[in-house]
Amino acid sequence: MVPSLKLQDLIEEIRGAKTQAQEREVIQKECAQIRASFRDGDPLQRHRQLAKLLYVHMLGYPAHFGQMECLKLIASPRFTDKRVGYLGAMLLLDERHDAHLLITNSIKNDLSQGIQPVQGLALCTLSTMGSAEMCRDLATEVEKLLQQPSPYVRKKAILAAVHMIRKDPELSNIFLPPCTKLLRERHHGTLLGTITLITELCERNPAALRHFRKVVPQLVQILRTLVTTGYSTEHSISGVSDPFLQVQILRLLRILGRNHEESSETMNDLLAQVATNTDTSRNAGNAVLLETVLTIMAIHSAAGLRVLAVNILGRFLLNNDKNIRYVALTSLLQLVQSDHSAVQRHRSTVVECLQEKDASLSRRALELSLALVNSSNVRAMMQELQAFLESCPPDLRADCASGILLAAERFAPSKRWHIDTILHVLTTAGTHVRDDAVANLTQLIGEAEELHTYSVRRLYSALAEDISQQPLVQVAAWCIGEYGDLLLEGNCEETEPFQVEEEDVLALLEKVLQSHMSLPATRGYAITALMKLSTRLQGDNNRIRQVVSIYGSCMDIELQQRAVEYNVLFQKYDHMRAAVLEKMPLVERSDPQVNEEGKEKQTGAQPLEATAPVPTQPQATKLLDLLDLLDDTSGHAQRLPPLDPSPGEALINLLDLPCAPPTPAPIPSVRVFERKGLQLDLSFMRPSETPALLLVTATTTNSSEEAVTHFVCQAAVPKSFQLQLQAPSGNTIPAQGGPPITQVFRILNPNKAPLRLKLRLTYNHSGQPVQEIFEVDNLPVETWQ
């Protein structure tokens, strides 16, 4: 048999292989030698063979047959064997293999031996691949090692404790007492590990959070010492005293000061000192400043301190480092709702970031610019955003166009400005706008009667210049069909004078119909516009008849159907043509929710954009399609019908008598959710004048000892229903029975089908984000019968 290679020789031979086939051949031969050596059971060669197998494993080849050899080496009394055995366990074993439980006793014995190198190996292995069961079995041994005099063992024990807390948060109580003592340590590694351990405890255990709020003054003193005198010169980086320790302490202070007034007041002065004295010429100082800013914004800090934090982020925007600018834009985007006026001061710098060549920077700058738009700066911001839209990368055009349209709809100073803004977007990036842009613009033009002449002439000019932007062509065709007579009457004072002939209008619409760029929907708009012009124009309609008759044999079914119906209208019902093709009546928009109705059917009902906070990242990455979870084939949602007077009301109007319909019996309330002190109750009411309408009031209360923040309730119903969510009364529920959050659901059930609800709750509780999705199908019969 060919003798086995040494590890160094194996590495050289593998690296010398010229092809992958040669490499596989070398590894297969050596693996066969390793297996034979394992079968022989030579204890002196076992660790050498396993070391070669670990190298093979690192190259991506199977090495599972060495798992049991790891256990044998760990149980060996020789340190050289234990070292390779523990390394093999960290690489070859994990929680998915039952074999990892077999080393629990070996680790326990090694932890109690008192040999520091062996204890270090055992603790490292436990921190790397220890399962929850192993952590529960070994927690007591690790807790004892936290009190060892050796900083080497104590540091590794702290890191093992961090891993245990992450695996099983119920072990928190074991590590609470030693942490307070460890905060007085002077050893850098021990102190840094202790801060990390306390952070994990506070994030996962509310009791630990309350316990460690008592040590806030001690943490403040440690950080003040770091800032003023330094911890030790060997841990300073670029003139910044121990930035890693500063960052960890600031993160812990952020957790301890959140929603706690007393702790926040204790650290306010220190945060101001760190923010003003930290050197910003080096990256280490910028890292400390960023954590300081995030801490200031997370706690109950003074208004002046928050302005200082925003100004620091503004200085970051001027930094040459792209990473620092990106972090600044992301942080400002998170702060724009709570400190809008302070962020507004840096608006010009944010707008300049739109021209960044880096795609991630320009996208963040776009999101922040859209969030900064309000009624006072909408004209200036729209000019900047429209200029960016003309030159922005293709992957940003859809987001930019949609953001401009939403901002214009929300903050438009006048209808003409609103129309001009949408037209500019359609002309520049028409193919990238949202699907509802066409309907919104036609609705806006229809409502602005005084701007009909201006709008149709602007659209005609835009259409004559470019027929490639399909949404623009659709709006222009609709507008020409509705107001074609105004286009021919004369000049508009608000536009450049030009004369339009009937033949020019018809030729332009025929060009749209014949263009290969026109979509079937666009051709439908154009042929309908031609048909309407037959009643608007004074000339002969033979040309329109010929064009319509041609499309009676079109391959597109929708277009063919329209053409056939229009031909019949010409031939058999010509006397009714003028009445059938009258101008479209206005659709009243008394509620902003009407605009979002179609969107709600796809994404699940949600609070209105006008009343809910603007999201800090793109809406499409945040929402869950709840309606997919409640798919119903019984039919599609219907629009809310006009309310007919009930018989009782008709009788009142007829006889003018003070009678009223009987009051319906009350519907019992239902508790649909309860978790850790948070309860959600639903109460119901059905208006007597609208039996198909159900008003559901969702009341959320909090009896726990921690406040619930960022609470959002979303709902969905089957497609045979229509759901409309009113804005909630707030998004924070104070602890221990504070004022609840109420929200009203309006549910239309025309078919009187059994009611089912799908609810999604997202909130922060005890420093942890929580999301709950559940279905409610045990509602009282009175809610739908």
Side-chain angles (χ1 to χ4, degrees):
M1 180 178 293
V2 179
S4 178
L5 297 174
K6 295 181 179 180
L7 176 60
Q8 184 176 357
D9 297 336
L10 175 63
I11 294 174
E12 291 179 356
E13 191 165 345
I14 291 176
R15 289 181 176 178
K18 297 182 179 180
T19 64
Q20 191 172 7
Q22 291 180 359
E23 177 182 304
R24 285 197 299 266
E25 182 180 359
V26 172
I27 290 177
Q28 288 174 0
K29 290 181 179 179
E30 192 59 33
C31 285
Q33 294 285 349
I34 294 173
R35 280 193 176 95
S37 177
F38 286 162
R39 285 194 299 269
D40 294 341
D42 186 358
L44 299 178
Q45 294 295 324
R46 184 177 289 127
H47 70 278
R48 294 188 177 91
Q49 301 297 336
L50 184 60
K52 292 189 292 184
L53 185 62
L54 294 180
Y55 178 73
V56 170
H57 169 74
M58 292 169 61
L59 295 178
Y61 293 92
H64 57 278
F65 58 89
Q67 292 175 353
M68 299 308 297
E69 302 303 319
C70 295
L71 305 182
K72 296 177 183 178
L73 289 175
I74 291 173
S76 172
R78 300 171 57 200
F79 177 75
T80 53
D81 290 345
K82 285 184 178 292
R83 181 177 58 180
V84 178
Y86 276 122
L87 177 60
M90 286 186 274
L91 292 177
L92 302 181
L93 296 177
D94 57 30
E95 296 182 30
R96 294 171 297 178
H97 301 96
D98 294 337
H100 82 280
L101 297 175
L102 300 177
I103 65 173
T104 303
N105 287 333
S106 298
I107 294 178
K108 187 174 183 179
N109 293 334
D110 289 340
L111 291 178
S112 59
Q113 275 188 5
I115 304 174
Q116 292 185 15
V118 175
Q119 289 176 329
L121 290 173
L123 290 169
C124 287
T125 304
L126 179 60
S127 303
T128 303
M129 44 77 65
S131 62
E133 185 176 350
M134 288 180 62
C135 291
R136 286 190 290 268
D137 293 338
L138 300 173
T140 305
E141 281 70 20
V142 174
E143 188 269 337
K144 293 178 182 178
L145 294 179
L146 291 176
Q147 304 172 21
Q148 287 288 322
S150 170
Y152 172 81
V153 176
R154 212 164 41 228
K155 177 178 65 175
K156 292 185 178 295
I158 292 171
L159 297 179
V162 172
H163 175 79
M164 289 180 167
I165 297 301
R166 291 173 179 170
K167 285 295 180 182
D168 189 356
E170 295 181 358
L171 299 175
S172 301
N173 295 330
I174 298 178
F175 300 106
L176 283 179
C179 287
T180 306
K181 298 179 181 178
L182 290 172
L183 276 178
R184 294 191 289 268
E185 286 289 335
R186 293 292 299 170
H187 186 268
H188 175 267
T190 303
L191 183 57
L192 182 59
T194 302
I195 299 297
T196 306
L197 176 57
I198 294 176
T199 303
E200 289 293 331
L201 289 170
C202 293
E203 286 181 342
R204 301 174 187 274
N205 191 334
L209 180 63
R210 293 189 296 272
H211 173 79
F212 286 111
R213 276 178 175 153
K214 302 174 185 178
V215 303
V216 168
Q218 187 176 352
L219 292 170
V220 168
Q221 185 57 43
I222 295 173
L223 185 55
R224 181 174 284 112
T225 304
L226 281 173
V227 174
T228 56
T229 62
Y231 192 84
S232 62
T233 55
E234 60 179 316
H235 297 109
S236 297
I237 299 177
S238 301
V240 180
S241 176
D242 204 342
F244 292 100
L245 185 55
Q246 287 195 53
V247 166
Q248 283 298 112
I249 294 176
L250 287 168
R251 288 178 181 173
L252 178 55
L253 289 176
R254 181 160 71 244
I255 297 172
L256 296 174
R258 187 182 291 122
N259 300 324
H260 196 260
E261 190 76 30
E262 182 180 352
S263 299
S264 300
E265 291 180 0
T266 305
M267 61 184 77
N268 269 340
D269 293 340
L270 172 67
L271 294 175
Q273 183 180 357
V274 175
T276 54
N277 294 339
T278 302
D279 181 17
T280 59
S281 61
R282 301 292 183 179
N283 201 43
N286 291 327
V288 174
L289 277 181
L290 176 62
E291 289 299 328
T292 306
V293 169
L294 297 179
T295 303
I296 291 173
M297 292 305 177
I299 66 174
H300 294 285
S301 54
L305 196 57
R306 300 178 73 87
V307 172
L308 174 62
V310 175
N311 291 339
I312 291 173
L313 295 177
R315 292 202 305 270
F316 280 178
L317 291 177
L318 303 175
N319 198 293
N320 294 327
D321 192 327
K322 293 182 179 180
N323 295 322
I324 295 177
R325 293 204 298 275
Y326 181 85
V327 168
L329 290 170
T330 304
S331 302
L332 288 172
L333 191 58
Q334 296 172 355
L335 303 176
V336 71
Q337 289 304 310
S338 58
D339 296 270
H340 192 273
S341 59
V343 180
Q344 279 285 357
R345 297 191 184 98
H346 306 280
R347 189 180 67 207
S348 59
T349 310
V350 173
V351 172
E352 291 177 1
C353 293
L354 288 172
Q355 307 305 324
E356 290 282 352
K357 295 182 179 180
D358 190 289
S360 58
L361 278 175
S362 56
R363 182 178 294 277
R364 275 287 181 264
L366 174 62
E367 295 170 1
L368 182 55
S369 299
L370 292 171
L372 289 175
V373 177
N374 57 25
S375 56
S376 61
N377 64 16
V378 61
R379 292 181 182 271
M381 289 297 294
M382 285 299 106
Q383 289 180 359
E384 299 287 351
L385 291 171
Q386 288 174 10
F388 173 68
L389 180 62
E390 295 177 358
S391 59
C392 72
D395 56 334
L396 287 181
R397 287 203 166 192
D399 293 335
C400 185
S402 299
I404 292 175
L405 294 179
L406 289 173
E409 183 178 358
R410 187 174 179 185
F411 302 110
S414 65
K415 288 186 177 180
R416 178 181 170 180
W417 180 91
H418 193 181
I419 292 173
D420 288 341
T421 300
I422 299 180
L423 286 180
H424 185 275
V425 173
L426 294 180
T427 304
T428 307
T431 56
H432 297 87
V433 299
R434 301 188 311 172
D435 295 338
D436 60 349
V438 174
N440 288 344
L441 181 54
T442 55
Q443 174 73 19
L444 179 63
I445 294 174
E447 291 175 349
E449 185 175 354
E450 69 280 5
L451 297 175
H452 285 173
T453 303
Y454 171 78
S455 301
V456 70
R457 296 182 74 83
R458 280 288 310 274
L459 284 166
Y460 178 82
S461 301
L463 184 61
E465 294 178 3
D466 184 14
I467 63 171
S468 63
Q469 304 285 357
Q470 295 302 293
L472 174 66
V473 177
Q474 293 172 9
V475 175
W478 179 89
C479 201
I480 291 172
E482 290 293 320
Y483 314 116
D485 52 338
L486 301 178
L487 181 62
L488 303 176
E489 282 182 358
N491 293 329
C492 175
E493 296 179 357
E494 299 170 330
T495 61
E496 295 182 4
F498 63 92
Q499 189 64 33
V500 181
E501 301 294 338
E502 292 185 6
E503 296 299 322
D504 298 334
V505 178
L506 297 180
L508 184 57
L509 291 176
E510 288 182 27
K511 181 180 178 182
V512 172
L513 283 169
Q514 297 168 5
S515 173
H516 68 280
M517 294 182 290
S518 297
L519 299 174
T522 305
R523 291 192 174 95
Y525 275 94
I527 199 169
T528 302
L530 282 172
M531 195 64 187
K532 289 196 172 187
L533 287 177
S534 68
T535 64
R536 312 285 198 271
L537 305 182
Q538 304 300 324
D540 190 8
N541 292 327
N542 287 332
R543 183 175 180 178
I544 297 177
R545 290 186 182 215
Q546 292 175 2
V547 174
V548 171
S549 62
I550 290 174
Y551 286 89
S553 57
C554 179
M555 295 295 293
D556 184 83
I557 300 300
E558 172 70 19
L559 200 58
Q560 181 188 109
Q561 181 180 353
R562 291 193 186 205
V564 170
E565 292 173 351
Y566 293 157
N567 277 324
V568 172
L569 192 60
F570 268 125
Q571 296 169 4
K572 295 185 178 181
Y573 305 100
D574 195 61
H575 61 286
M576 300 173 56
R577 180 164 48 86
V580 171
L581 299 176
E582 285 184 352
K583 292 182 179 180
M584 292 288 292
L586 292 180
V587 179
E588 295 184 2
R589 293 194 299 180
S590 58
D591 194 327
Q593 285 179 333
V594 174
N595 296 335
E596 299 295 326
E597 189 174 44
K599 183 179 177 181
E600 289 173 356
K601 292 179 182 178
Q602 298 178 2
T603 61
Q606 53 197 6
L608 289 177
E609 183 179 348
T611 57
V614 177
T616 59
Q617 32 187 321
Q619 187 76 10
T621 64
K622 279 188 169 181
L623 287 181
L624 177 67
D625 192 356
L626 296 178
L627 288 183
D628 288 345
L629 304 177
L630 272 178
D631 192 17
D632 192 302
T633 58
S634 59
H636 296 288
Q638 303 177 1
R639 293 185 176 274
L640 204 63
L643 301 180
D644 296 328
S646 63
E649 291 174 336
L651 188 60
I652 294 174
N653 296 334
L654 180 63
L655 301 179
D656 197 20
L657 296 177
C659 63
T663 304
I667 304 175
S669 301
V670 176
R671 174 161 294 179
V672 297
F673 177 78
E674 184 171 7
R675 182 177 184 269
K676 294 185 178 180
L678 187 68
Q679 300 94 23
L680 176 62
D681 298 321
L682 300 181
S683 57
F684 312 93
M685 185 181 71
R686 297 178 64 178
S688 57
E689 64 274 11
T690 316
L693 181 63
L694 177 67
L695 301 179
V696 183
T697 302
T699 304
T700 310
T701 57
N702 178 19
S703 60
S704 67
E705 297 181 356
E706 297 291 332
V708 173
T709 59
H710 301 89
F711 181 85
V712 176
C713 176
Q714 294 177 318
V717 293
K719 293 181 179 179
S720 58
F721 295 77
Q722 183 181 358
L723 173 64
Q724 191 178 74
L725 282 188
Q726 303 292 338
S729 61
N731 64 354
T732 301
I733 316 174
Q736 298 180 348
I741 290 178
T742 59
Q743 189 173 7
V744 177
F745 307 167
R746 294 168 55 89
I747 302 176
L748 182 66
N749 184 9
N751 301 326
K752 294 187 176 182
L755 177 60
R756 291 185 297 141
L757 281 173
K758 177 73 73 172
L759 297 179
R760 183 178 78 166
L761 308 180
T762 56
Y763 56 91
N764 289 346
H765 193 200
S766 301
Q768 294 294 318
V770 181
Q771 176 174 292
E772 298 286 349
I773 300 178
F774 55 92
E775 185 172 344
V776 181
D777 53 6
N778 58 341
L779 298 176
V781 178
E782 294 86 352
T783 58
W784 52 273
Q785 283 189 352

